[in-house]
Amino acid sequence: MSVSPVKRQKMESALDQLKHHTTVVADTGDFNAIDEYKPLDATTNPSLILAAAQMPAYQELVDDAVAYGKKLGGSEEEQIKNASDKLFVLFGAEILKRIPGRVSTEVDARLSFDKEGMIQRARRLIDLYKEAGIGKDRILIKLSSTWEGIQAGKVLEAEYGIHCNMTLLFSFAQAVACAEAGVTLISPFVGRILDWYIANGDKKTYEPSEDPGVKSVTKIYNYYKKFGYKTIVMGASFRNTGEIKALTGCDYLTISPKLLAELSKEYVKLTPTLSVKEAQACNLEKIHLDEKAFRWLHNEDQMAVEKLSDGIRKFAADAVKLERMLKERMFSAENGK
């Protein structure tokens, strides 16, 4: 439905209306996009950092990370790992100059089944931020929502006061376990769920309210609010603005620059579809999941099992590509290549 130019002048864009009901987060490592859309928070992941690290504008950060890795010394592998961690933190520190809230920095996806490894790497990232003069209150550490990742989040929150953002979350089982672990925030994915249903079913188009990703996040939001969990629900991974508008009222939504741009040019009236009041009236039973129950319930959801493992593989592959890029920068000259 088109809006007349006169009404458009009086009406706020869909993005500005969304900001009244939901905290808008920018899903990007590109500082220019953050400057343009002025989100409260920002999220990064290995794929976004890999993309940004290849842009000419950010080569100085890459050079700084390389110099840091070399300065610490150690084996070639250790130098690359230190440079990689430093690069994530350098991007995060630059992003924090542009937002009032928090930045999410991801732990290496190759540690997704290593609880102690994730705890150690998260603490390392927080130490690197501290060296840069940034306190842990402005950081969310992103962990894969495996059983091991969720338990690592529980320890980081309770024992170290490190805030966690549980990512690659596709199943209701993952959401329940995260709530019970008392993590700060979860990122239930929307678009990747839609992708799976389109690829594996006969139906190829969905209205936003019937979108399986939207329905998943709605159920999780309602469960958390009905039973008083404090964990923030941040919808992530969107394929279109319809999905975003259908989740108006969700605690947070993290949105790519492309979709932020589309929302800023849309002039339609937004009304909240999610609310605490409606959630408290919904018909959901409270459940408890130990490890055995979690693994069984998650395994019953074929989409979630496939998308979690696929997501881990993709983030791991991009971490390897990033390390390869850093390795070339660090060692190709001295090896005479």
Side-chain angles (χ1 to χ4, degrees):
M1 187 181 76
S2 62
V3 177
S4 74
V6 176
K7 275 190 175 174
R8 186 174 292 185
Q9 285 177 356
K10 293 178 183 174
M11 184 185 243
E12 287 186 307
S13 70
L15 179 59
D16 286 334
Q17 292 176 69
L18 181 65
K19 286 179 176 178
H20 293 308
H21 307 292
T22 289
T23 296
V24 171
V25 177
D27 195 20
T28 182
D30 181 3
F31 312 146
N32 294 330
I34 291 165
D35 287 336
E36 187 171 353
Y37 298 109
K38 298 181 171 43
L40 178 76
D41 286 8
T43 51
T44 63
N45 63 44
S47 307
L48 294 174
I49 297 294
L50 175 65
Q54 293 173 82
M55 295 179 188
Y58 304 132
Q59 292 316 296
E60 198 176 316
L61 294 185
V62 179
D63 290 340
D64 287 350
V66 164
Y68 180 86
K70 284 190 159 187
K71 187 180 80 175
L72 288 192
S75 69
E76 195 171 287
E77 188 182 331
E78 285 169 332
Q79 289 183 53
I80 294 165
K81 188 172 89 169
N82 286 328
S84 179
D85 282 348
K86 183 67 171 178
L87 186 62
F88 274 70
V89 169
L90 286 169
F91 268 98
E94 285 297 320
I95 288 168
L96 286 170
K97 293 175 186 175
R98 293 162 165 82
I99 58 171
R102 295 185 285 208
V103 70
S104 289
T105 298
E106 191 145 348
V107 163
D108 192 328
R110 290 168 291 182
L111 297 170
S112 294
F113 304 101
D114 179 355
K115 176 186 163 186
E116 294 306 322
M118 281 183 273
I119 292 169
Q120 190 180 349
R121 201 68 172 265
R123 294 180 66 198
R124 171 74 181 136
L125 289 168
I126 291 296
D127 285 345
L128 285 171
Y129 273 113
K130 191 176 177 183
E131 283 176 23
I134 297 162
K136 63 186 177 186
D137 287 349
R138 295 203 69 197
I139 312 301
L140 284 164
I141 293 293
K142 283 177 83 176
L143 302 166
S144 301
S145 297
T146 55
W147 177 259
E148 294 81 2
I150 295 165
Q151 300 315 304
K154 183 177 183 179
V155 171
L156 287 165
E157 297 270 4
E159 295 183 23
Y160 299 103
I162 293 172
H163 301 296
C164 297
N165 168 356
M166 304 307 302
T167 190
L168 295 175
L169 194 150
F170 301 98
S171 71
F172 188 63
Q174 289 173 296
V176 170
C178 286
E180 292 194 308
V183 297
T184 296
L185 182 147
I186 60 166
S187 294
F189 281 34
V190 179
R192 293 197 203 185
I193 292 180
L194 175 66
D195 296 344
W196 189 91
Y197 279 93
I198 288 172
N200 292 278
D202 296 328
K203 193 169 180 178
K204 301 304 174 190
T205 57
Y206 289 84
E207 286 299 308
S209 61
E210 291 303 309
D211 183 306
V214 170
K215 289 170 83 169
S216 170
V217 174
T218 300
K219 181 181 178 182
I220 291 165
Y221 174 91
N222 287 341
Y223 183 84
Y224 277 28
K225 302 311 174 200
K226 183 177 176 72
F227 297 110
Y229 289 111
K230 298 286 183 269
T231 298
I232 295 163
V233 179
M234 180 172 74
S237 156
F238 294 104
R239 296 292 173 260
N240 54 66
T241 59
E243 291 177 326
I244 295 165
K245 290 181 286 189
L247 289 170
T248 301
C250 191
D251 298 330
Y252 287 29
L253 297 174
T254 186
I255 306 169
S256 68
K258 177 180 177 286
L259 293 179
L260 287 171
E262 289 180 30
L263 287 166
S264 71
K265 295 182 183 78
E266 282 190 42
Y267 291 87
V268 291
K269 183 158 176 58
L270 285 196
T271 50
T273 49
L274 303 186
S275 73
V276 174
K277 189 177 178 184
E278 283 189 30
Q280 286 170 346
C282 74
N283 185 26
L284 285 169
E285 294 290 319
K286 190 171 187 179
I287 60 172
H288 163 67
L289 297 178
D290 60 12
E291 182 178 351
K292 292 190 287 289
F294 166 84
R295 292 194 186 280
W296 177 258
L297 188 59
H298 178 71
N299 194 65
E300 286 288 276
D301 187 336
Q302 184 186 348
M303 173 278 298
V305 170
E306 292 180 11
K307 294 311 287 185
L308 173 60
S309 60
D310 178 60
I312 290 170
R313 283 193 300 273
K314 283 179 175 165
F315 281 161
D318 281 342
V320 170
K321 285 179 195 169
L322 185 64
E323 287 181 356
R324 198 173 295 139
M325 188 189 84
L326 290 168
K327 182 178 180 177
E328 282 174 19
R329 286 282 189 100
M330 295 172 88
F331 302 109
S332 59
E334 64 195 49
N335 292 343
K337 291 178 188 167

